Amino acid sequence: MITRCYLEITNICNLDCKFCPKTDRAKHRLTLDEFDRLTDRLQNQVRFLYFHLMGEPFLHPLLSDFIKMARQKGFVPVLTTNGTLLSKGQEVIDARPHKIQISLHSQEGNGKEHPEEYIREVMTFAQEAASKGVLIVLRLWNQGGYDTANDFIHELIAQYQPRPWTVRHDGWKLSENLYIEYDHMFEWPDADHSEFEEKDVFCYALRNQIGVLVDGSVVPCCLDHAGDITLGNLFEQSLDEILASPRAKALYDGFTRHIATEPLCRRCGYAVVTKQYRK
């Protein structure tokens, strides 16, 4: 079973973050029927269903319905959001996603200078959701990038969730079900970038994760935002058929030998980092 599938329910976003690569693909939101068909083909093959690849899930008017449907089919639903539309999120809390990851760094990435109102809305939502048993992760994935306002953001958060906080390996536990998580700002792989000099690489793509774009295209991971490595289409084929395709098997077998067979993978820093952790 594949651990994670990044199912893009929409590729439309309300922000224009500096760190985001955007997408030129045709804009679309999954209909209820399309979501039903795609999840039927993923059922019993995927555990965690992430409602994100590109796009902002809270823009989708059927988000709470999708969460409920995913739970009914045995998935563990997870959301990743920029946190700017949480005032509309009570229905989402009531639908009980397993986890919601709120990318606080999107505020800075947009060049906004006054995060007080943003953090107020985030914390109001986060504390309510956490009290209902939803895991909330406040992400500051901006180390080495747009991280100059982090201390100020910490102080704003502390107004709603006073210290002391409990230290964790990747951040802080603020209270039950409520966390802050840090990571380095990363560079999305791009077909136009130069290849990395490191040739000995490894990736968990197709081993424990896949992505499904809003048009049904199956890609190996959550970083293939443009569909450069389209392996098949889940509206037209089963997942088993797609994963058994020559291109998919070559990619999988290549990483088994620590070789990146796809040009995009040879331009992805995560393949280098993952290989280091694999040792």
Side-chain angles (χ1 to χ4, degrees):
M1 176 178 282
I2 291 174
T3 308
R4 291 172 287 164
C5 174
Y6 295 86
L7 176 57
E8 186 180 72
I9 64 172
T10 178
N11 59 357
I12 302 168
C13 190
N14 60 321
L15 297 185
D16 185 25
C17 297
K18 297 175 182 177
F19 53 78
C20 179
K22 319 298 188 299
T23 178
D24 294 327
R25 293 180 281 114
K27 304 301 183 186
H28 182 59
R29 294 186 178 96
L30 288 181
T31 66
L32 192 64
D33 176 66
E34 288 172 335
F35 183 84
D36 190 29
R37 290 163 56 198
L38 291 175
T39 50
D40 273 351
R41 294 208 160 176
L42 294 168
Q43 195 170 15
N44 300 320
Q45 305 217 52
V46 168
R47 186 180 179 205
F48 290 92
L49 197 63
Y50 287 69
F51 290 12
H52 177 72
L53 204 147
M54 289 279 102
E56 169 51 51
F58 276 77
L59 281 175
H60 204 299
L62 298 176
L63 178 57
S64 59
D65 296 313
F66 288 173
I67 295 169
K68 294 174 186 175
M69 185 182 293
R71 279 203 172 278
Q72 290 168 357
K73 294 187 179 188
F75 298 103
V76 181
V78 179
L79 308 180
T80 300
T81 173
N82 59 43
T84 60
L85 303 172
L86 299 179
S87 60
K88 308 173 183 178
Q90 187 60 52
E91 284 188 1
V92 171
I93 295 175
D94 293 341
R96 296 293 192 276
H98 171 67
K99 179 167 66 172
I100 302 176
Q101 303 170 147
I102 305 174
S103 298
L104 299 186
H105 47 277
S106 65
Q107 182 76 2
E108 325 164 17
N110 263 287
K112 297 184 184 300
E113 299 178 355
H114 304 289
E116 293 87 350
E117 180 63 20
Y118 172 71
I119 295 299
R120 183 188 69 79
E121 289 190 3
V122 166
M123 292 305 297
T124 298
F125 175 91
Q127 290 178 314
E128 169 70 11
S131 73
K132 298 291 180 61
V134 180
L135 293 176
I136 299 293
V137 178
L138 308 176
R139 285 178 164 181
L140 284 168
W141 285 16
N142 56 9
Q143 309 303 292
Y146 302 107
D147 57 355
T148 56
N150 281 4
D151 288 343
F152 183 48
I153 290 174
H154 293 155
E155 294 306 316
L156 292 177
I157 291 173
Q159 293 177 17
Y160 301 91
Q161 192 64 55
R163 295 180 173 94
W165 303 335
T166 303
V167 178
R168 287 166 49 86
H169 70 284
D170 57 355
W172 301 89
K173 179 178 181 179
L174 309 188
S175 65
E176 192 66 25
N177 297 324
L178 181 55
Y179 302 86
I180 292 178
E181 175 185 281
Y182 304 97
D183 206 338
H184 286 87
M185 180 180 174
F186 63 89
E187 184 177 358
W188 289 74
D190 191 296
D192 293 330
H193 293 170
S194 299
E195 293 187 8
F196 281 92
E197 293 184 5
E198 174 65 77
K199 303 302 181 185
D200 180 10
V201 297
F202 180 82
C203 182
Y204 288 102
L206 303 186
R207 280 174 162 78
N208 73 356
Q209 70 162 296
I210 58 170
V212 181
L213 304 182
V214 74
D215 66 353
S217 297
V218 174
V219 294
C221 74
C222 62
L223 297 181
D224 189 358
H225 60 92
D228 288 308
I229 312 175
T230 295
L231 304 172
N233 193 290
L234 207 57
F235 284 126
E236 302 165 0
Q237 304 162 272
S238 71
L239 185 59
D240 285 339
E241 290 173 328
I242 293 170
L243 296 181
S245 68
R247 190 175 188 183
K249 287 177 67 65
L251 187 147
Y252 185 100
D253 293 342
F255 279 126
T256 300
R257 304 191 310 273
H258 285 213
I259 297 169
T261 61
E262 293 285 342
L264 187 70
C265 301
R266 295 195 290 271
R267 293 161 170 80
C268 180
Y270 269 89
V272 176
V273 171
T274 307
K275 183 265 297 187
Q276 295 169 352
Y277 286 117
R278 178 75 168 175
K279 290 181 178 179

